[in-house]
Amino acid sequence: MNTFFDASSLVRGELKTLAPYDAPYFPEAVKLDANENPYGFPPGVLRKIFSEIGSRDFARYPDPRAERLRESLADYTGVAPENIMVGNGSDELILNIMLTFGAGAEYVVTPPTFSMYGVYGLVASASRVEVPRLADFSVDMESLKRVAGSRGVKVVIICNPNNPTGTATPPDEIEGLLAGTNAVVVVDEAYVEFGGETCIPLLARHPNLIVLRTFSKAFGLAGLRVGYLLAGRSVVRELLKVKQPYNLNAFSQTAARVVMENLPLFRERIEKILAERERLFSGLSGLPGVEAFPTRANFILFRTALPAKQVYGGLLERGVLIRNLDGPMLRRCLRVTVGTAGENGLFLERLRGVLADRN
Ligand SMILES: *Cc1c(COP(=O)(O)O)cnc(C)c1O
């Protein structure tokens, strides 16, 4: 046995600083930390998925091109199938975008934003350039345009609506950015179904745009890992070189397609989430020492007078799991996912308890 072997000595310097992704796991808690859909999957849709999947499907490799799913996505988005690529969650697509375009170059993010961009950028050996958001969490578009126009920048990522702040960026502002850069501009629309404005109409005029979507939030398929992107032909051609042939398994391809064929059921759930979001927002805003930020997604960012760690821990002790986002850009901030009416009521009641218990 080689007792001198040290795997960490074999990896790149940047990887040494990276910690494996670890999500807190409290199966008993009310789970309002990951922006998932709180309503169980519609039983009728589940039955359809099972009846469409034959046992044969598991012995054969899945369709590498996911033709049928891409066709239903074409109906849903109005974008041609050849401009659509599917992924094992949009996480995989972010990594592939970084590997294809970002490796060895610069990519730009607008923090505070989704933390996985940074992880995949680092894994792909891309260098991060940050253009921080303004005090109201809107994108500093003038600075972003300037940075995105510089030669070393190959990828710009805007999360819209933004996780974790809930802020929307108007598509016409994004169009100004697209016109002034030769980098690919990724607009991550993971939450667009909750009231964001899509950049899809810009695809026809801007070959450097990538619109990124997921089934994990509005469509309740987080466990099956399905994401997709919409882009011009030349961008898709490059990305297909990097994509693993069988990245999306047969079960998930079928499930996502059946979801697309039953949209009204999911629209109903989205409407319920939007109504609950308003209730949760006014509930939060009405609490002393709490400031809630306006949101266009299925979560709410809020700031408390108490240290965020104390609020997070107090809620967890009371059986409610949310996200603590405290950091230099989000002082004393936490994020709560809009749950069912029962879950939101419970969260507000427990939060009231934590705030009252401050000494
Ligand atoms: C949740 C989320 C994703 C998504 O996820 P997958 O589950 O990998 O499809 C992508 N971007 C943002 C901003 C998210 O919050």
Side-chain angles (χ1 to χ4, degrees):
M1 195 169 80
N2 183 350
T3 51
F4 298 105
F5 177 72
D6 173 14
S8 73
S9 71
L10 302 178
V11 303
R12 286 174 280 139
E14 308 109 80
L15 284 195
K16 293 196 168 78
T17 65
L18 193 60
Y21 186 80
D22 192 19
Y25 184 63
F26 299 98
E28 269 89 63
V30 173
K31 195 170 183 309
L32 299 175
D33 67 319
N35 304 339
E36 296 141 325
N37 197 308
Y39 300 102
F41 206 72
V45 181
L46 202 55
R47 274 195 298 277
K48 274 189 206 149
I49 294 169
F50 286 133
S51 76
E52 286 213 23
I53 280 265
S55 55
R56 179 194 166 282
D57 294 357
F58 302 131
R60 303 292 180 191
Y61 282 106
D63 173 5
R65 298 159 51 97
E67 296 283 4
R68 293 187 67 193
L69 173 55
R70 281 165 55 240
E71 271 162 31
S72 35
L73 287 170
D75 289 341
Y76 177 56
T77 59
V79 172
E82 59 266 32
N83 296 92
I84 303 176
M85 188 172 139
V86 297
N88 189 26
S90 50
D91 266 76
E92 185 198 32
L93 296 170
I94 300 166
L95 175 60
N96 282 351
I97 291 166
M98 287 293 186
L99 290 169
T100 306
F101 299 107
E106 288 175 336
Y107 71 99
V108 187
V109 287
T110 62
T113 191
F114 189 46
S115 59
M116 296 312 289
Y117 306 142
V119 173
Y120 297 130
L122 196 144
V123 168
S125 290
S127 321
R128 176 167 68 212
V129 178
E130 299 191 343
V131 176
R133 287 172 178 259
L134 302 171
D136 64 355
F137 300 129
S138 64
V139 171
D140 178 357
M141 208 40 100
E142 289 319 303
S143 305
L144 185 58
K145 279 186 198 161
R146 197 167 351 97
V147 172
S150 72
R151 252 171 20 109
V153 170
K154 302 251 177 97
V155 180
V156 177
I157 308 184
I158 299 177
C159 188
N160 188 33
N162 186 44
N163 182 8
T165 60
T167 324
T169 306
D172 59 343
E173 281 190 30
I174 293 176
E175 180 153 37
L177 170 71
L178 282 160
T181 178
N182 284 318
V184 294
V185 175
V186 182
V187 179
D188 185 346
E189 297 189 343
Y191 299 97
V192 77
E193 280 89 0
F194 301 107
E197 227 186 311
T198 184
C199 282
I200 285 179
L202 307 182
L203 281 166
R205 297 192 289 279
H206 298 282
N208 55 334
L209 170 63
I210 301 179
V211 174
L212 199 58
R213 297 279 187 90
T214 180
F215 279 75
S216 297
K217 310 287 158 57
F219 299 121
L221 278 194
L224 293 189
R225 318 298 307 120
V226 187
Y228 61 99
L229 62 79
L230 312 164
R233 294 288 286 278
S234 66
V235 164
V236 171
R237 197 176 309 126
E238 298 308 317
L239 286 169
L240 285 174
K241 297 177 185 171
V242 170
K243 177 182 103 69
Q244 288 187 23
Y246 304 115
N247 60 332
L248 189 56
N249 70 75
F251 191 96
S252 298
Q253 287 189 28
T254 301
R257 178 172 50 77
V258 176
V259 166
M260 288 288 100
E261 290 163 4
N262 291 274
L263 274 177
L265 278 174
F266 291 90
R267 292 220 162 95
E268 263 171 41
R269 282 151 195 255
I270 292 166
E271 287 307 317
K272 277 204 257 183
I273 291 169
L274 294 183
E276 271 305 306
R277 177 176 77 190
E278 298 320 305
R279 264 182 17 105
L280 183 57
F281 187 86
S282 30
L284 265 174
S285 309
L287 293 176
V290 174
E291 179 193 3
F293 297 97
T295 179
R296 299 284 287 278
N298 66 336
F299 53 79
I300 299 173
L301 183 79
F302 63 99
R303 179 173 278 140
T304 67
L306 288 185
K309 213 172 121 187
Q310 194 175 327
V311 175
Y312 174 83
L315 281 169
L316 197 52
E317 271 171 31
R318 291 164 172 80
V320 180
L321 179 63
I322 65 168
R323 268 299 283 275
N324 178 2
L325 290 162
D326 190 36
M329 288 191 188
L330 292 171
R331 282 275 168 243
R332 301 187 317 280
C333 283
L334 302 107
R335 187 194 71 197
V336 61
T337 304
V338 180
T340 61
E343 289 171 335
N344 301 332
L346 193 96
F347 158 75
L348 286 172
E349 176 205 310
R350 306 280 156 94
L351 178 58
R352 222 171 275 125
V354 172
L355 299 175
D357 216 28
R358 63 176 76 204
N359 323 308

